[in-house]
C-alpha cells in the first residue's frame, strides 16, 4: 500500500509517499480501506520529531480516517460487516491506503456524508467533546472562550457548546475566520492581532468573565486568560502553540480567582478512557450530523489535497491560513 513517510525529522520537504506492507488486523482489530484522512497539528509536530507516537502505534502519520471495512482479525465480536462506511480516531497510521483499528474504536460514518467530510470529524470533534464534557464539565448557560476559533477543534467546540445550551465566544487572527465562527454559532469573536481579547471578553460578559477557556496557545496568553476568567472558572490547556514558558505570578493570580487549570492530550489517553469518550460521543452527538436533525452539526472542510501533495498540505497548515480541516484524499 501507499503511505506518507519521512526518514528524518524536519520540514515538509522531508515528506514523501512510500510503498509499504499493508497491515494485517490483529486480535480484535478491523482492517479499513482509507478513502480520506485529515491533517492535524500533531502531524506537524511528529514530522518535526517533537511528538512521537505512543508505544506500539504506527509510525505513519494520521490521527483520523474514514473509509470502508475490508477485513477482520481474530476475536472480533461482529459489530461491523464488510463494506460498512466507518470513521475512526487513531493513534497513528491514517495517512495510508489501509489502517487497522480496534473494533470498538470505529464509528459509523454519518448518513449522507462523504468520506471527505467524515474524515474531518474524529480528532477535532472528539477532542472538543472530551475537553468540554469530561474535563470542563460544561453546564447550560455557561460562557466558553475558544481560542483558535476557526481551527478544526474550534469549529467543533462552537457547535458543541451551542448543543450544550451554553454560549461560545472565540478568538481568531482574521476577520474571515471570525465571520466563519459567527456563521457556525459563535456569539462573539475577537481578533487577537488587533484588539485585547481579555478586555473584549470582560465587556461581553459584563465584567464577570468566562466559565471555561479552551486554550491551545499556552504561554503568551496566560495573563489575558486569567484576566477574563471568572471566579471559579476552568482554564483548559490542550496545546502550546506559543510555547510553555510563563514569566510572572501565575499562581497568585489563579488563586485569587479560585480558578483551576486542566491539561489534556487526547492521543496519549489510556485506551479505556478514550473509548469512554468515543462511546458517549457516538450516542449523544453523532446523531446530530445526520440530515434533518436540529440542531444540525457539520464539520467544515477548508481544502482537500491528494496523498502525493502531502508536503503542500503541511505547508498550508503551517501558514495558519485554513478555516476548518485540511483533508488528505487517498488514490482511487
Amino acid at each position: 500500500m501507499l503511505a506518507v513517510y519521512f526518514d528524518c525529522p524536519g520540514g515538509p520537504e522531508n515528506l514523501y509517499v512510500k510503498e509499504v506492507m499493508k497491515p494485517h488486523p490483529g486480535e480484535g482489530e478491523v482492517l479499513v480501506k482509507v478513502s480520506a484522512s485529515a491533517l492535524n497539528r500533531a502531524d506537524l509536530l511528529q514530522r518535526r520529531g517533537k511528538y512521537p507516537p505512543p508505544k506500539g502505534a504506527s509510525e505513519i502519520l494520521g490521527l483520523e480516517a474514514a473509509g470502508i471495512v475490508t477485513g477482520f482479525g481474530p476475536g472480533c465480536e461482529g459489530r461491523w460487516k464488510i463494506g460498512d462506511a466507518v470513521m475512526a480516531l487513531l493513534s497513528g497510521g491514517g495517512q495510508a491506503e489501509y489502517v487497522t483499528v480496534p473494533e470498538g474504536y470505529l464509528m459509523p460514518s454519518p448518513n449522507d456524508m462523504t468520506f471527505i467530510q467524515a474524515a474531518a470529524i474524529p480528532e477535532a470533534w472528539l477532542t472538543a467533546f472530551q475537553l468540554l464534557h469530561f474535563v470542563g464539565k460544561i453546564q447550560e448557560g455557561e460562557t466558553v472562550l475558544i481560542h483558535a476559533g476557526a481551527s478544526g477543534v474550534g469549529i467543533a467546540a462552537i457547535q458543541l457548546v451551542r448543543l450544550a445550551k451554553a454560549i461560545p465566544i472565540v478568538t481568531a487572527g482574521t476577520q474571515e475566520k471570525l465571520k466563519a465562527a459567527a456563521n457556525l454559532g459563535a456569539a462573539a469573536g475577537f481578533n487577537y492581532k488587533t484588539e485585547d481579547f481579555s478586555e473584549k471578553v470582560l465587556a461581553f460578559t459584563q465584567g464577570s468573565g468566562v466559565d471555561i477557556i479552551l486554550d491551545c496557545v499556552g504561554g503568551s496568553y496566560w495573563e489575558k486568560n486569567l484576566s477574563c476568567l471568572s471566579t471559579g472558572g476552568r482554564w483548559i490547556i490542550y496545546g502550546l502553540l506559543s510555547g510553555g514558558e510563563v514569566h510572572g505570578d501565575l499562581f497568585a493570580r489563579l488563586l485569587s480567582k479560585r480558578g483551576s487549570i486542566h491539561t489534556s492530550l487526547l492521543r496519549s489517553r489510556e485506551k479505556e478512557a478514550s473509548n469512554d469518550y468515543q462511546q458517549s460521543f457516538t450516542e449523544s452527538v453523532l446523531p446530530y450530523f445526520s440530515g434533518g436533525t436540529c440542531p444540525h452539526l457539520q464539520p467544515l472542510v477548508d481544502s482537500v489535497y491528494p496523498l502525493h501533495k502531502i508536503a503542500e498540505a503541511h505547508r498550508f497548515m503551517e501558514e495558519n491560513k485554513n478555516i476548518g480541516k485540511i483533508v488528505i484524499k487517498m488514490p482511487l
Side-chain angles (χ1 to χ4, degrees):
M1 70 171 185
L2 298 176
V4 171
Y5 240 79
F6 61 96
D7 294 317
C8 59
E13 66 277 2
N14 288 14
L15 295 168
Y16 65 100
V17 175
K18 178 180 179 180
E19 192 167 305
V20 299
M21 292 293 293
K22 184 168 76 173
H24 293 284
E27 183 74 23
E29 290 185 332
V30 176
L31 182 66
V32 175
K33 181 173 176 25
V34 179
S35 290
S37 182
L39 198 58
N40 293 283
R41 293 281 172 184
D43 297 315
L44 275 60
L45 291 172
Q46 185 175 334
R47 187 204 72 221
R48 296 176 195 146
K50 296 181 178 180
Y51 193 28
K55 185 178 179 180
S58 172
E59 295 287 336
I60 298 169
L61 298 176
L63 301 185
E64 54 197 327
I68 295 291
V69 172
T70 59
F72 302 96
C76 285
E77 299 176 358
R79 303 184 197 182
W80 308 96
K81 63 181 186 297
I82 300 294
D84 279 347
V86 294
M87 59 185 187
L89 177 69
L90 311 165
S91 54
Q95 289 165 22
E97 291 185 294
Y98 289 88
V99 68
T100 55
V101 187
E103 183 181 30
Y105 279 40
L106 289 175
M107 297 178 284
S109 180
N111 296 334
D112 307 320
M113 190 171 283
T114 67
F115 286 128
I116 296 290
Q117 294 169 308
I121 293 175
E123 195 278 340
W125 286 80
L126 277 167
T127 295
F129 180 72
Q130 66 102 3
L131 293 176
L132 289 167
H133 290 276
F134 285 78
V135 182
K137 310 292 185 184
I138 188 172
Q139 301 295 314
E140 182 176 342
E142 290 189 321
T143 303
V144 181
L145 173 60
I146 303 161
H147 291 310
S151 67
V153 173
I155 283 164
I158 291 167
Q159 296 177 70
L160 290 174
V161 169
R162 284 293 186 191
L163 187 63
K165 298 181 180 179
I167 303 163
I169 58 179
V170 304
T171 65
T174 69
Q175 292 306 118
E176 185 183 13
K177 290 182 177 182
L178 292 174
K179 183 178 179 181
N183 289 340
L184 290 166
F190 312 114
N191 188 327
Y192 66 86
K193 292 181 178 179
T194 61
E195 51 194 350
D196 185 330
F197 71 78
S198 64
E199 292 180 359
K200 295 290 185 178
V201 167
L202 287 170
F204 178 84
T205 59
Q206 298 181 324
S208 63
V210 293
D211 302 288
I212 298 173
I213 299 174
L214 296 189
D215 180 17
C216 59
V217 179
S220 66
Y221 274 14
W222 79 267
E223 289 185 281
K224 291 180 180 179
N225 279 334
L226 281 177
S227 292
C228 64
L229 186 68
S230 68
T231 300
R234 290 92 78 199
W235 174 14
I236 304 171
I237 302 170
Y238 69 99
L240 296 170
L241 291 176
S242 73
E245 289 191 12
V246 170
H247 302 283
D249 203 352
L250 183 152
F251 292 117
R253 296 275 300 278
L254 185 67
L255 190 61
S256 70
K257 290 276 184 95
R258 300 196 304 278
S260 58
I261 295 178
H262 305 262
T263 63
S264 182
L265 286 174
L266 189 61
R267 187 181 196 181
S268 60
R269 286 281 184 178
E270 292 295 328
K271 288 186 176 181
E272 291 78 8
S274 295
N275 209 26
D276 288 343
Y277 304 147
Q278 183 185 294
Q279 288 180 1
S280 181
F281 177 84
T282 299
E283 293 168 3
S284 62
V285 176
L286 205 55
Y288 288 98
F289 286 99
S290 297
T293 58
C294 187
H296 178 63
L297 303 178
Q298 55 181 336
L300 184 60
V301 175
D302 176 275
S303 49
V304 181
Y305 287 82
L307 186 66
H308 70 275
K309 291 190 176 181
I310 185 66
E312 292 182 26
H314 275 237
R315 289 189 188 97
F316 187 65
M317 177 170 273
E318 286 184 332
E319 291 170 356
N320 203 29
K321 292 180 178 179
N322 57 298
I323 299 176
K325 296 287 283 188
I326 300 169
V327 176
I328 310 301
K329 186 177 181 181
M330 297 303 133
L332 294 176

